[in-house]
Amino acid sequence: MKEKLQGILQAAKEQLAAAVDARALDEARVKFLGKKGELTALLKGMKDVAPEDRPAVGQMVNDVRAEIESIIDARRQTMAEAALAQKLEAETIDVTLPGEEVIIGKEHPLNIVLDELKEIFIGLGFSIAEGPEVELDHYNFEALNIPKDHPARDTQDTFYISDNVVLRTQTSGMQVRVMEKKKPPIRIIAPGRVYRSDAVDATHSPLFHQIEGLVVDKGIRMSDLKGILELFAKKLYGEDTVVRFRPHHFPFTEPSAEMDIQCYRCHGAGCPLCKGEGWIEILGCGMVHPKVLEVSGIDPEVYSGYAFGIGLERTVMGRYKIDDIRLFYENDVRFLHQF
């Protein structure tokens, strides 16, 4: 029995020494230590051993098993270390080489100026209201004194989801929503994306951004509106900014006006950007129409208010002397990295 055990141990040492990978190592383990392995087979012959010799034989079998397991563990550790060394050598990094440049994103100029506008109006006592871009016809048109047969709908042709659901053409609908839920005094701005079926050119886009403003209280006058908008323009563009107000018509305000800033390219002389006029329109404004107040549940005999709508893209164009609105949407990093 002792000779057989020595023979199994020697054969195991030779096969384990020759094993070159984990698979060969496992095959050797199964051959000598498995359920059908050589040691197991030897143990089945213990019945033929004299009872007084069985403890000694059993101890020898256990010693051989322990030595084979020890050799297997050592070989497995050696193989793991060799594999790690090989991997480290193959993946060696030269830390003295320059690393790859990490390109840091830039904040979009529309967001930069929008944040500035928010800060300006928050500093003037306004709060921010936000609402849905997919709007009900009632809030986008009818509650703003623009019934279905009103010609003003032609100038605000939009994208219809259904007869009563549209992609909003302005954020003015938020003014009505706020007035329905909150009673005066009201002082809010409503920024957001809007949509119109406009042809794309240097100053027009079917998607753009607006910041609508609304103030409702007792004793609000047109002079309050002009004062707040002139202050806004000077805070954004500088104290030397020149503005003008032109009479206009909006169904939801009366009287109404448009505010222009002097062209930042030609300074009033006239150029292709301003279409030779020397001025660029940046917003429309006026006193809130009594019908709009009434539809929103506010008594026009007691309260008055003013509203304005700022075109964010044109405001940013003036802020950074950009001459083409399409640059905002082309995702050209050369343009965006300037900001």
Side-chain angles (χ1 to χ4, degrees):
M1 181 68 73
K2 184 176 181 181
E3 290 77 10
K4 289 183 179 180
L5 285 172
Q6 291 295 330
I8 291 173
L9 179 60
Q10 184 61 34
K13 287 181 178 180
E14 292 175 358
Q15 186 166 339
L16 289 171
V20 295
D21 54 29
R23 181 177 180 180
L25 203 63
D26 194 58
E27 288 176 353
R29 180 189 63 78
V30 171
K31 178 180 178 181
F32 295 104
L33 304 180
K35 290 182 178 181
K36 297 181 180 180
E38 294 188 15
L39 271 182
T40 305
L42 192 64
L43 284 172
K44 291 179 180 179
M46 288 285 286
K47 63 181 184 297
D48 299 327
V49 178
E52 63 273 14
D53 295 332
R54 286 177 186 174
V57 173
Q59 183 62 48
M60 286 189 292
V61 172
N62 289 335
D63 290 344
V64 170
R65 178 184 293 276
E67 189 169 351
I68 293 174
E69 288 176 345
S70 176
I71 296 171
I72 291 174
D73 290 341
R75 287 290 293 144
R76 185 177 287 115
Q77 180 67 26
T78 301
M79 287 181 180
E81 291 174 356
L84 177 61
Q86 185 177 6
K87 184 176 180 181
L88 290 175
E89 184 177 356
E91 297 178 1
T92 298
I93 298 174
D94 186 348
V95 295
T96 65
L97 291 175
E100 294 183 2
E101 180 184 3
V102 178
I103 300 176
I104 305 298
K106 299 284 186 176
E107 190 174 7
H108 198 282
L110 292 177
N111 288 332
I112 294 173
V113 176
L114 177 59
D115 288 342
E116 289 185 26
L117 291 175
K118 288 179 179 179
E119 289 298 321
I120 290 172
F121 283 108
I122 288 173
L124 295 172
F126 288 73
S127 59
I128 298 174
E130 295 182 337
E133 294 180 25
V134 180
E135 184 61 281
L136 294 174
D137 182 275
H138 170 77
Y139 289 106
N140 195 75
F141 291 122
E142 294 187 26
L144 296 172
N145 201 30
I146 310 176
K148 290 188 181 296
D149 59 351
H150 199 288
R153 292 207 179 201
D154 293 338
T155 60
Q156 292 195 30
D157 190 18
T158 185
F159 303 90
Y160 283 79
I161 308 300
S162 68
D163 289 343
N164 294 312
V165 180
V166 301
L167 295 184
R168 65 183 180 187
T169 63
Q170 53 204 357
T171 57
S172 305
M174 277 307 299
Q175 298 175 4
V176 178
R177 287 180 178 272
V178 170
M179 286 190 287
E180 286 180 342
K181 296 179 180 179
K182 181 181 179 181
K183 298 308 175 185
I186 297 171
R187 202 175 186 89
I188 61 107
I189 59 170
R193 277 190 296 262
V194 298
Y195 307 83
R196 295 184 188 177
S197 185
D198 285 343
V200 178
D201 61 25
T203 55
H204 294 84
S205 169
L207 179 151
F208 56 102
H209 298 75
Q210 273 191 343
I211 303 97
E212 294 281 343
L214 173 70
V215 173
V216 179
D217 204 348
K218 294 179 180 179
I220 298 296
R221 299 170 297 178
M222 188 75 177
S223 58
D224 299 320
L225 170 62
K226 292 184 67 176
I228 203 81
L229 291 180
E230 285 188 38
L231 179 61
F232 144 73
K234 291 182 183 295
K235 280 184 172 292
L236 187 65
Y237 297 119
E239 290 299 322
D240 59 345
T241 301
V242 180
V243 302
R244 75 174 184 184
F245 291 85
R246 293 179 288 106
H248 196 68
H249 169 72
F250 296 111
F252 37 84
T253 55
E254 181 60 38
S256 304
E258 286 188 339
M259 190 180 89
D260 306 330
I261 60 170
Q262 197 173 75
C263 179
Y264 37 82
R265 173 185 280 184
C266 66
H267 303 288
C271 69
L273 177 62
C274 61
K275 297 179 173 63
E277 296 181 2
W279 299 86
I280 294 177
E281 171 199 343
I282 64 167
L283 62 87
C285 59
M287 301 299 292
V288 179
H289 198 290
K291 286 187 177 180
V292 175
L293 292 174
E294 193 171 0
V295 167
S296 304
I298 295 176
D299 188 350
E301 297 296 327
V302 178
Y303 296 100
S304 58
Y306 64 74
F308 54 86
I310 302 170
L312 179 60
E313 278 78 358
R314 292 185 182 181
T315 304
V316 177
M317 290 168 74
R319 179 77 164 75
Y320 291 116
K321 309 299 185 291
I322 298 169
D323 59 7
D324 196 322
I325 195 173
R326 290 166 290 195
L327 292 169
F328 293 127
Y329 309 113
E330 292 177 348
N331 293 325
D332 189 330
V333 295
R334 295 171 298 178
F335 169 72
L336 297 176
H337 279 176
Q338 298 178 62
F339 307 96

